[in-house]
Amino acid sequence: MENVVTKSLYLVPFTQEIIKAAIIGNPELARVLAVTVLPNWRNEIFGKSLPTIADILCENPLQSEWGWGSLIIHKAEKTLIGYLMLKILPDPTGSVEIGYIIVPSYRQQGYASEATKAMMDWTLCQPGIEKVTAGCDADNIASKRVLEKIGMRLIETRGKALIWELCKTEIIE
């Protein structure tokens, strides 16, 4: 996967080099990417999952080729502002799951929608991918707005979690 470029953002796919730099720390990641890395660009759960992501990229050629997600870099400010997670290996129905995090200081500016829409468009163009799903907390109004804005539809409620979906056949060219 190459970088996906939007109006305001670069989506830089996770590679072994990037994940290793992120494991070492923010100064190393900033050096590798040649951007400013905000101290709160990732949450604790993601930080703990970096070694697992590195193993997945190493062990699975398809996953390594497409990545496990992308870093979200603000083009004008050359700043890492978040990331997208993409479980790209489809299940037997051709479904993959997407998730996203934007640092608080860059929220409510449309970056989550811009990044997630671009990644979904790219994903749904890949062979074998038929739909993208996402989940969010029922109380997370901002995430619900993002998912609605990018064309996903609510398909299920699981406790406090809302499950969203967009099928390849639903995309209007």
Side-chain angles (χ1 to χ4, degrees):
M1 177 181 169
E2 297 181 14
N3 292 357
V4 173
V5 180
T6 70
K7 178 182 172 189
S8 307
L9 307 169
Y10 294 114
L11 305 181
V12 179
F14 294 161
T15 61
Q16 281 287 353
E17 178 186 26
I18 287 173
I19 294 299
K20 286 178 184 176
I23 290 169
I24 293 169
N26 288 349
E28 179 65 10
L29 186 58
R31 185 192 68 74
V32 167
L33 295 172
V35 301
T36 300
V37 174
L38 299 175
N40 61 340
W41 74 271
R42 66 183 190 198
N43 63 24
E44 186 178 333
I45 294 169
F46 180 69
K48 289 179 179 179
S49 70
L50 288 171
T52 302
I53 294 170
D55 290 343
I56 290 168
L57 292 175
C58 186
E59 294 171 8
N60 191 313
L62 177 62
Q63 194 73 52
S64 183
E65 178 184 332
W66 284 2
W68 185 253
S70 294
L71 299 175
I72 303 170
I73 298 179
H74 191 281
K75 285 187 342 189
E77 296 179 17
K78 295 184 179 179
T79 301
L80 174 58
I81 65 168
Y83 60 92
L84 290 156
M85 293 299 293
L86 185 63
K87 295 178 184 172
I88 198 68
L89 292 177
D91 68 15
T93 68
S95 178
V96 296
E97 184 179 353
I98 195 167
Y100 49 88
I101 297 284
I102 300 289
V103 298
S105 59
Y106 283 81
R107 291 180 184 160
Q108 297 182 336
Q109 298 176 57
Y111 299 129
S113 298
E114 185 175 338
T116 306
K117 174 78 169 102
M119 184 57 66
M120 278 194 4
D121 289 348
W122 178 88
T123 301
L124 288 169
C125 289
Q126 303 310 308
I129 305 298
E130 297 302 321
K131 65 183 169 184
V132 176
T133 62
C136 74
D137 190 289
D139 296 331
N140 190 335
I141 295 168
S143 277
K144 289 193 294 190
R145 285 189 184 142
V146 166
L147 297 171
E148 289 171 348
K149 184 177 180 180
I150 64 174
M152 296 190 90
R153 60 188 168 78
L154 180 62
I155 60 164
E156 184 180 350
T157 301
R158 294 181 192 157
K160 292 194 81 171
L162 303 177
I163 309 303
W164 301 76
E165 176 181 273
L166 181 66
C167 295
K168 185 180 281 191
T169 57
E170 296 172 301
I171 297 177
I172 300 171
E173 300 293 329

